[in-house]
Amino acid sequence: QSDGHRLFAGPVAAAEAAGATVVQLDMSVPFTAARARNAGFDALTDSQLVQFIDGDCRIVPGFVEAAAAHLAAHPKLGMVTGWRSEIHRDASVYNQLCDWEWRRPAGDILACGGDMLVRAAAWSEVGGMDPTVIAAEDDEFCTRLRKAGWRLERIPQEMTRHDAAMTRFGQWWARAVRTGHGFAQVGFLHPDYFRSERGRVLVYGLALPTLIALGLLVWPWLSVLALLAYGLNYVRTARGLAAEGLP
């Protein structure tokens, strides 16, 4: 067996022992989460509603029933999601940030993360997830779902418990890089989506560093002003998080 097969042997055996049907992917083909979700859906028979969940989450009892009832009552809804929260919220500032990111207002939404109860007919209509999307594949799927005429909603119901397990800056940085890849790739596929996120990347990741470098060569005060923009952004962000109850 390859190293990859040995790596996943334990979880696969545990899942099978619990009575789950396990779909083995051809790992000679580049892996993406979207490809795995498609394979899982395709393995189902006569499905009407499908609950997707990330591998580092667990379902809160009662959510599936509440979400299914909501879908049954609103035939124009293609997908329902709920509230995710961190299992170990206070283990690190990074976990706290994740927990804050998950807690968004209930109501109509543009997209959600990987935990969602999806109407199988809606999933099939748009062709499931794009297996070539490396990050933010759930955002890309939700965007196509909306463009096909389906509504998306977050209900005020606890949905999943998530374990970010981020205790080091390097882990947060890797997550930020992956997120940035999602902004770029999904933004390329759907230029009307992730506009503000891509704009911030261009300003803070390209324009301001260029001004700092240029200022060092031409006019030092230009570098100071560009650095000041980072400071102002930090203050604005810190105040916003404090208003949300974060230290």
Side-chain angles (χ1 to χ4, degrees), residues 118-199:
V118 180
R119 201 181 295 275
W123 173 278
S124 298
E125 180 183 331
V126 300
M129 291 191 172
D130 185 338
T132 67
V133 175
I134 296 174
E137 69 284 343
D138 28 35
D139 286 87
E140 196 279 330
F141 163 71
C142 288
T143 300
R144 282 186 288 112
L145 204 59
R146 285 188 292 103
K147 290 180 177 180
W150 293 96
R151 285 180 50 236
L152 288 60
E153 187 174 343
R154 178 181 292 109
I155 60 175
Q157 183 90 15
E158 296 296 330
M159 176 184 58
T160 49
R161 298 287 182 255
H162 177 261
D163 189 11
M166 284 196 296
T167 58
R168 302 188 309 275
F169 176 81
Q171 293 172 304
W172 173 86
W173 182 264
R175 184 173 184 268
V177 170
R178 177 179 171 83
T179 301
H181 192 291
F183 291 162
Q185 188 178 18
V186 176
F188 174 78
L189 295 171
H190 304 280
D192 57 329
Y193 193 68
F194 280 148
R195 277 184 175 176
S196 61
E197 290 84 354
R198 299 199 311 277

Side-chain angles (χ1 to χ4, degrees), residues 28-246:
S28 66
V29 179
F31 173 81
T32 63
R35 178 173 164 240
R37 290 177 187 267
N38 288 343
F41 180 89
D42 293 342
L44 300 174
T45 58
D46 194 29
S47 57
Q48 296 182 6
L49 302 176
V50 180
Q51 174 69 49
F52 289 93
I53 181 172
D54 284 353
D56 51 5
C57 294
R58 64 171 184 249
I59 289 280
V60 173
F63 171 77
V64 173
E65 293 78 8
H70 197 73
L71 281 171
H74 301 85
K76 297 296 184 181
L77 276 177
M79 178 274 292
V80 165
T81 187
W83 283 324
R84 174 193 274 190
S85 60
E86 284 300 316
I87 296 173
H88 305 294
R89 178 189 182 276
D90 296 324
S92 70
V93 66
Y94 310 111
N95 282 10
Q96 288 182 343
L97 282 169
C98 281
D99 192 77
W100 173 79
E101 287 179 11
W102 307 143
R103 188 63 55 153
R104 290 291 179 260
D108 286 350
I109 56 175
L110 297 178
C112 71
D115 303 342
M116 50 185 161
L117 185 67
V118 180
R119 201 181 295 275
W123 173 278
S124 298
E125 180 183 331
V126 300
M129 291 191 172
D130 185 338
T132 67
V133 175
I134 296 174
E137 69 284 343
D138 28 35
D139 286 87
E140 196 279 330
F141 163 71
C142 288
T143 300
R144 282 186 288 112
L145 204 59
R146 285 188 292 103
K147 290 180 177 180
W150 293 96
R151 285 180 50 236
L152 288 60
E153 187 174 343
R154 178 181 292 109
I155 60 175
Q157 183 90 15
E158 296 296 330
M159 176 184 58
T160 49
R161 298 287 182 255
H162 177 261
D163 189 11
M166 284 196 296
T167 58
R168 302 188 309 275
F169 176 81
Q171 293 172 304
W172 173 86
W173 182 264
R175 184 173 184 268
V177 170
R178 177 179 171 83
T179 301
H181 192 291
F183 291 162
Q185 188 178 18
V186 176
F188 174 78
L189 295 171
H190 304 280
D192 57 329
Y193 193 68
F194 280 148
R195 277 184 175 176
S196 61
E197 290 84 354
R198 299 199 311 277
R200 287 196 295 270
V201 170
L202 290 174
V203 169
Y204 292 102
L206 178 61
L208 290 179
T210 300
L211 288 177
I212 292 172
L214 187 62
L216 293 176
L217 297 174
V218 179
W219 187 49
W221 281 108
L222 183 61
S223 299
V224 173
L225 290 173
L227 287 170
L228 183 61
Y230 285 108
L232 290 174
N233 183 59
Y234 170 81
V235 171
R236 181 182 63 83
T237 301
R239 285 179 174 175
L241 292 175
E244 295 284 346
L246 287 180

Side-chain angles (χ1 to χ4, degrees), residues 1 8-25:
Q1 288 185 323
F8 291 108
V12 167
E16 290 175 335
T21 299
V22 177
V23 180
Q24 296 276 9
L25 295 179

